[in-house]
Every structure is written in C-alpha cells, then in structure tokens.
Amino acid sequence: MTTEEPRIGVFVCKCGTNIAKVVDVPAVSEYAKDLPNVAYAGWQLFTCSEEGQNIIKDHIKKHKLNRVIVASCSPKLHEPTFRRTVMEAGINPFYFEMANIREQVSWAHMKQKEEYNEATQKAKDLVRAAVFRASQLESIGSTTQEVPPVCMVIGAGIAGITASTLLADEGYEVHLVERSPALGGKAAQLGFVFMTDTCGVCVPPRHGEMARKCLSKRVLRHDPKIHVHTLTEVKQFSGYIGNFQAKLHTQPRGVDIDTCTLCGKCIDVCPVKVPHELDLGLGNRRAIYLPYPQAVPRSPVVDFKHCTRCGKCAEVCPVGAIHLDEAPKDTDITVGTVIVSTGFDVFQPIGLYAYGENPNVILQLALARLLDPLGPTDGQLLRVSDKNPPKHVGMIQCVGSRDPEYYSHCSRICCQVAIKHAVYIKEHWPDTDVTIFYKDIRLQGKQYERYYLKAQQLGVNFHRAEITEVKETTKQGLTLAVEHHNGAKETVDVDLLVLSAAMTPAEGAKELAHTLNMEVDLKGFFREYHLKLAPVDTTTDGIYLAGACSSPRDIAEASFMGAAAASHAAIPMSKGEVKVDLAKSIVDETLCIGCANCYTVCPYSAINMEGGVAKVVEVACKGCGICVVECPAEAIQLRHYRDKQIYSQIEGLLANVGAAKK
C-alpha cells in the first residue's frame, strides 16, 4: 500500500444514450467532485473511445492523479482497456476502479421512467462506493511464466486440422488428439458442402500452397511438427499456461500404420459385418475396415469390440502389419497451450415424426451419405426400406432446435443444408417432388441466399407450417398432417422424410470440460470468455476454443475459428513467456492451520499443500476468492479484494443512507 495521498480522478461515461437516457450523467460527475480524495471529476460521451482514453491520460498528467475511476459499463467489457490506459499514463493498473452504471443502473431501470431520479441517485451511490474503495487500493506487480512452443489440439475436425497446420507452419510442435480412428470429423461424412459444392474434407491451403487440398493428399501425419494421436482421449489434465500436463489414453488400432500398404486383403477376408458409423447404419463394414475413403491415417483399423480374433486378416497381410494382441497405452505430455475443437453431434429425435420407427424417416446427415457418390448407395437417391427411388421427399426443419423442450438454440446451418440437398435432388432427379416445411428460413453467410433462390427456380416447395402428425401408409409411405402458418390444414404424402435435427455438443463434451476444468453453457457447449470480445478465449489462460465446440457453426466459420485459435495460442508461445498479474490469493503462513479446505475447493487446482501449509500457484490462480471464503482461520486474502477494500466499498455505498439526497 503506497503512503502517497490518494488523488482520484472520476470519469463518467454517457455511452451515447445507453446510460444518458436514464441517468443524469453531468449531475453524477458534479456530485463526484465533492467526494473525499477526488482531485478531478468529469464526463465523456464515449470514454472507451481513443479520444476518451486520451482525455483520461491528459487529466492524469494535468491533475497528478494516482487513482482513476471510470463509471460506465461492466468491467468484463472494458476493464482491460482502461487498465491499459492508466498504465500507459504511468499508473499501476490496479489503481484503476470501475463503477458499473450501465448494466446495474441504466439498463436495469430503462423502463421505469418515473424512477429516473432514483436511477441517478443509484449511480451516485455506486460512484461513491468506488471512490471509497479506490482510496484503499494497492500497487500489484506481476510475474512471468515460461511457455514452451508446444500445443495440444483436442479434436481433429476442420477447425482442429486448420489450427494444427497453421501452428506447425509457424514452427510450433503440435499434439493433435482425436478419439476416432481417422481425422476429418463430421466433414468426412459430407459428400459435398456449400457454398463451394466441394468435398467435405477439402482443407485450407498451408503456407506456400496456392490452393486448397484434399485431406488425404496433405502430408499431415508425416509433418515432423505434428504428432497425430488417433483413437485417443485426454484422461487426466492438470497445470496452467506454460505447464499443462496431460495423460493421453490410446486404444489399440491393431494395424501398424507405418507398415500397412493399404492393399485391402485383410478387409476382403474378414467374415464379420457390422453397421458402418460413417453411413449412420445405412451400409455395413467389416470388423477391420478403412474409416472412409480419404481417411488419414491411410490404413485400416480393427474394431476390437466386434472382432472375433479369427486371425484371417493377419494371415493374408503381406507385410505383417496386423497385431491383434496390441494393448492400450498411456502417454504423458507437457504442453504450453491447448486448443479445444471437439466439434458437435446431431440430436437423435427418437419418437419424433416416426424417427426410429420407420426406416424412411432419416436425418439430413443420412441423406448426405445417400447423395455421396462414395456412400452406401453410390450417390443414388433411394428409400431405405426398399431401395426404390422416392417420388416425394419431405423435409422438416428445426427438429429439436428452437424448441424449449429439447434445445432452445437455432442450429444455424440447418436451412442451408436442407436447401443444398433439395437443390441437388432437383438438379439430378428433376421429377422428384421436394417440399421443405419450416418455421423460418434463416440463411446466414455470403451468397447463401443464392441457394434459396435457385431452389425456388428449380421448383422446391416451401411451406411455413407445423407437422402435427406422421402416419405410415400400407406401402411404407408416410402421410404428414400439416398445419400451415395461416391456419389452413392439409395432409401431404411423402416417400422419404428427412429431419433437420439440432446440432448438439459433442458426446463427452461435459466430461472433457470437467477434465480440463473448463466451463460449459446451459446447452452443454464450451463457454467462451466473452462472446463478442474474446470468442476463442476461455476463463483458463492458455486454453482456447475452435469450431462448433462452443456453438453451431458451418465449415467456413469453423476454419476461421481454427485459425483464430492458432493465432491466440501462438502469442504466448512466440514470446516464450507470459506475464501474469499478482492479483491472486495470498496465504499468511503464520495463520494457516493446514486444514486443506482451500486445496479441496479450488476450482483451478491452484493451491498445493506443502509441509502442512497451503501454497498458492500464482500462475494458475484466477482470483475467484472461493478459498478466502472457505478458510476458517482467515489465513488467505485476495489481493485487490482484501477485506479492508471490500469494507470500504460497503461503507461508501451506505454512507448516504438516511441522509438527505443531493
């Protein structure tokens, strides 16, 4: 704590009309002038603007300010901005304090016009509380943590592949972890994608390349900087930025990928047939199989769950690449940063619209497999039940999404996918009738509207309606009870019914979040630090998000996010270290009784017990304060939120209680 007399500057923001339409901002700044230790008070239209920040710097110099208060929006939005501003003016960033008069005052009372005077008084109270607290603030320093140039990428879909290749191109070592036997994610199941109508596993160009390239033709697995771990999951995880430790558990593949020549003899002799996951059960595969035609690694994999270990595959293998006695293995790695790109799954609407009851009710992903020339029907549009071409195809949108009973969010890409498939069907089988039943058509992205107009020109029927019932006819056709938006009702017969089901968090996302000590939102997607300002960052420094693991996204956006996450992860790795402020918990070892309550409750594993005394790992600590609350001996304090600082803020908040309002 400095012995210098506090000289506080108060800067009240109008935030355009966000604050000024409810709060009398000039009156608040005028009131602040008479508060203890305030050397300057004024207001600005937009304090966070470059002009507003320069005004703060000018007044710091002019009035010799050593404390700064900005009364504006939530600290979560612009506290880093203003801390940087005061630091550039020569003041320790922790001598900055923020009063939230936008979310907590203006936005909370914007519809209560008769209470505008009360809103202004509330703003004065919050500013006064900030002034009292600012007088008790202390200078807080920082420490540094080394960050090795090694990144772990979890999930090898388009986002994960993009992030991995970009990092490798910049010289960073990458551990690419994928729980399935091949890279590519959901994109591997798509025969073609909008807007380019190219293959789903067509990936962005690497450094020095002029065009995109098929995943199978990219030397991803042979890149010396990328260590590919397929059939692998993160089982244990600990540490902090620059020192993350992960235990990877790898299931046996049964085939030596470096020896295998992909001759296919092992697949030909395998006597076991099971439904193929790639085709969503529409086709079969052997117990030893190639995950998909362009699969990377380019070798078969043994499905030990269904393998009878008859040994026929090993007998015919000309290079001895098959090892049916291979065991699982664990690998320990240490990395500096982590990128999570686990993708998404598709909602299984069992019991809705006869899905799971009638084989001719399928999902859009299954339709994509039917239309893929490498799919189970060689690209022919055939009904599942009898392999005959359907004459009438119906599509129902928003199945499980935009529905509070299942998932309230919009899955964003469903309209594009449905229209893409409808256009493809009409172009290749123009006599087939296609009808899309929708709540709203939501097309987002460059040229997506082109698909919609083209579908209309080709004769695709669009009906804004609800499907209230699906009945099966004697010929395995389906009759839909349709209730149109205008109230009209009718029945429509279809041969094939396709459901556009919700995009959901990937299976195991919550378990992985628990392992990585990360947050998920109410839907189960990984939670970003800030939706607008930090969409790829998380609450854990050094861990970043890419692709659909945080929200439904299309392939282009997933690729962009993969690049963004790689860029963010590269920043601390390129510097070789990261600076961490010391606004963390601090233990008074003379008071610590060694009860380990703090160690037990810390959500960031930032406390260790050494010699019966709690020790804080300052780089890992996030300053949440849970340990402070749980300590029975009051041996832990949180820098920047010490008891005296909180009490002074409470004192300031209540100082005007019972007094005549100014």
Side-chain angles (χ1 to χ4, degrees):
M1 182 73 184
T2 181
T3 57
E4 186 181 11
E5 185 72 19
R7 292 183 59 81
I8 302 173
V10 179
F11 301 85
V12 187
C13 182
K14 282 190 171 184
C15 197
T17 59
N18 268 309
I19 295 174
K21 66 182 177 182
V22 176
V23 176
D24 187 344
V25 170
V28 174
S29 64
E30 192 67 26
Y31 170 79
K33 293 179 180 179
D34 298 327
L35 294 174
N37 300 315
V38 173
Y40 169 80
W43 59 268
Q44 291 82 36
L45 183 60
F46 292 107
T47 311
C48 64
S49 66
E50 184 175 353
E51 180 184 1
Q53 294 177 57
N54 289 333
I55 290 174
I56 293 176
K57 295 176 185 177
D58 292 341
H59 283 294
I60 288 174
K61 182 178 180 180
K62 180 179 179 180
H63 298 281
K64 298 180 180 179
L65 305 177
N66 55 26
R67 309 282 195 283
V68 172
I69 294 172
V70 172
S72 59
C73 56
S74 165
K76 188 174 182 180
L77 187 62
H78 278 306
E79 186 176 61
T81 301
F82 294 123
R83 281 187 176 177
R84 184 173 60 251
T85 299
V86 301
M87 187 167 59
E88 291 172 354
I91 299 178
N92 185 279
F94 290 95
Y95 280 142
F96 169 76
E97 178 66 13
M98 208 162 181
N100 184 354
I101 64 171
R102 187 178 73 169
E103 284 84 350
Q104 294 181 359
V105 181
S106 175
W107 286 4
H109 304 286
M110 64 170 55
K111 294 184 179 180
Q112 302 168 0
K113 294 185 178 180
E114 68 278 4
E115 297 182 8
Y116 278 6
N117 291 334
E118 284 78 0
T120 299
Q121 183 58 47
K122 183 178 178 181
K124 292 179 180 179
D125 293 341
L126 293 180
V127 170
R128 185 176 63 250
V131 169
F132 275 56
R133 171 175 156 78
S135 299
Q136 298 296 325
L137 295 178
E138 60 184 340
S139 177
I140 298 176
S142 61
T143 186
T144 58
Q145 167 65 38
E146 290 186 6
V147 182
V150 186
C151 179
M152 177 173 66
V153 179
I154 308 174
I158 294 300
I161 291 170
T162 301
S164 299
T165 53
L166 288 175
L167 287 171
D169 286 343
E170 295 301 319
Y172 302 109
E173 188 176 353
V174 178
H175 288 274
L176 180 56
V177 180
E178 170 58 45
R179 67 181 180 182
S180 69
L183 312 184
K186 288 289 190 296
Q189 295 177 280
L190 307 177
F192 60 100
V193 299
F194 53 80
M195 285 294 299
T196 58
D197 289 334
T198 54
C199 177
V201 289
C202 187
V203 289
R206 295 186 65 172
H207 181 69
E209 296 178 344
M210 298 302 294
R212 56 184 182 264
K213 183 180 290 185
C214 178
L215 176 62
S216 65
K217 296 180 181 179
R218 172 167 287 176
V219 291
L220 185 66
R221 196 181 68 80
H222 301 289
D223 190 312
K225 290 292 184 180
I226 301 178
H227 308 283
V228 176
H229 305 270
T230 53
L231 293 168
T232 302
E233 295 185 83
V234 179
K235 285 302 182 183
Q236 294 180 20
F237 185 83
S238 61
Y240 42 87
I241 184 172
N243 188 32
F244 290 118
Q245 287 106 34
K247 182 181 288 293
L248 308 181
H249 182 72
T250 303
Q251 297 293 340
R253 186 180 190 91
V255 179
D256 186 339
I257 58 179
D258 294 318
T259 305
C260 176
T261 61
L262 197 60
C263 66
K265 293 180 179 180
C266 56
I267 300 175
D268 294 337
V269 300
C270 180
V272 179
K273 285 187 178 182
V274 295
H276 200 332
E277 301 86 352
L278 178 75
D279 296 328
L280 285 77
L282 297 176
N284 294 323
R285 62 166 173 81
R286 307 286 181 169
I288 184 169
Y289 66 104
L290 186 66
Y292 64 95
Q294 307 95 336
V296 176
R298 295 283 290 163
S299 78
V301 59
V302 177
D303 177 1
F304 284 101
K305 181 179 178 181
H306 295 99
C307 176
T308 62
R309 287 177 170 80
C310 65
K312 292 182 179 180
C313 54
E315 292 174 3
V316 300
C317 180
V319 293
I322 297 175
H323 306 286
L324 298 180
D325 57 350
E326 184 181 352
K329 67 176 182 178
D330 291 334
T331 306
D332 295 320
I333 61 173
T334 299
V335 299
T337 58
V338 177
I339 294 175
V340 179
S341 54
T342 51
F344 70 97
D345 276 331
V346 179
F347 172 60
Q348 298 296 308
I350 302 296
L352 294 178
Y353 307 112
Y355 180 77
E357 302 167 4
N358 188 299
N360 294 321
V361 182
I362 62 174
L363 301 181
Q364 289 287 357
L365 193 56
L367 180 59
R369 297 305 306 140
L370 293 177
L371 299 180
D372 185 352
L374 298 177
T377 60
D378 298 324
Q380 296 302 307
L381 180 63
L382 302 176
R383 295 203 326 166
V384 177
S385 61
D386 54 16
K387 301 299 184 292
N388 289 324
K391 293 298 182 182
H392 304 279
V393 177
M395 298 184 183
I396 303 178
Q397 301 302 101
C398 300
V399 177
S401 61
R402 301 180 64 198
D403 186 339
E405 187 175 346
Y406 298 100
Y407 294 93
S408 59
H409 64 269
C410 170
S411 292
R412 300 183 63 190
I413 70 168
C414 304
C415 291
Q416 292 94 305
V417 171
I419 294 174
K420 176 198 73 171
H421 286 158
V423 167
Y424 188 88
I425 292 171
K426 293 298 289 185
E427 286 180 333
H428 290 76
W429 299 278
D431 293 334
T432 302
D433 178 73
V434 181
T435 303
I436 297 178
F437 302 96
Y438 67 94
K439 292 180 180 178
D440 299 288
I441 294 295
R442 295 183 172 185
L443 296 171
Q444 309 175 77
K446 186 178 181 180
Q447 296 186 12
Y448 285 2
E449 187 74 7
R450 177 171 64 84
Y451 261 127
Y452 185 37
L453 297 177
K454 187 174 183 179
Q456 291 177 320
Q457 293 169 359
L458 290 171
V460 177
N461 303 307
F462 290 89
H463 293 315
R464 190 176 186 186
E466 294 283 347
I467 306 301
T468 58
E469 188 178 14
V470 176
K471 290 184 178 180
E472 182 176 335
T473 64
T474 55
K475 296 182 179 179
Q476 291 188 311
L478 298 159
T479 298
L480 312 183
V482 182
E483 185 172 323
H484 291 273
H485 183 64
N486 60 8
K489 297 181 180 180
E490 66 171 329
T491 59
V492 176
D493 294 328
V494 298
D495 302 317
L496 182 67
L497 183 60
V498 186
L499 308 182
S500 298
M503 292 176 68
T504 65
E507 181 183 356
K510 287 186 178 180
E511 291 77 8
L512 179 61
H514 179 74
T515 301
L516 301 182
N517 202 17
M518 295 174 63
E519 297 180 11
V520 295
D521 61 22
L522 294 177
K523 306 177 188 73
F525 289 102
F526 285 92
R527 188 188 298 278
E528 60 280 295
Y529 183 76
H530 192 285
L531 184 62
K532 174 183 177 182
L533 301 179
V536 301
D537 294 281
T538 69
T539 54
T540 301
D541 293 336
I543 301 183
Y544 310 95
L545 303 176
C549 68
S550 58
S551 175
R553 307 181 194 281
D554 63 19
I555 288 179
E557 191 174 0
S559 181
F560 299 155
M561 281 197 69
S567 176
H568 280 238
I571 292 173
M573 293 193 296
S574 65
K575 294 179 178 179
E577 64 179 24
V578 63
K579 183 178 288 187
V580 181
D581 69 65
L582 294 177
K584 315 294 185 182
S585 295
I586 182 171
V587 178
D588 185 340
E589 296 183 10
T590 63
L591 297 178
C592 180
I593 61 175
C595 66
N597 279 7
C598 54
Y599 170 81
T600 303
V601 301
C602 179
Y604 300 101
S605 302
I607 297 179
N608 297 324
M609 300 302 297
E610 300 178 10
V613 177
K615 300 280 189 179
V616 177
V617 182
E618 293 173 329
V619 178
C621 177
K622 297 296 292 183
C624 67
I626 294 176
C627 57
V628 179
V629 177
E630 289 293 329
C631 181
E634 299 183 356
I636 304 182
Q637 286 282 292
L638 182 59
R639 294 191 187 104
H640 201 54
Y641 289 96
R642 295 182 185 271
D643 290 347
K644 62 182 179 181
Q645 295 166 343
I646 295 175
Y647 290 148
S648 65
Q649 189 171 14
I650 295 173
E651 180 185 352
L653 191 63
L654 301 179
N656 208 37
V657 174
K661 295 183 179 180
K662 296 184 179 181

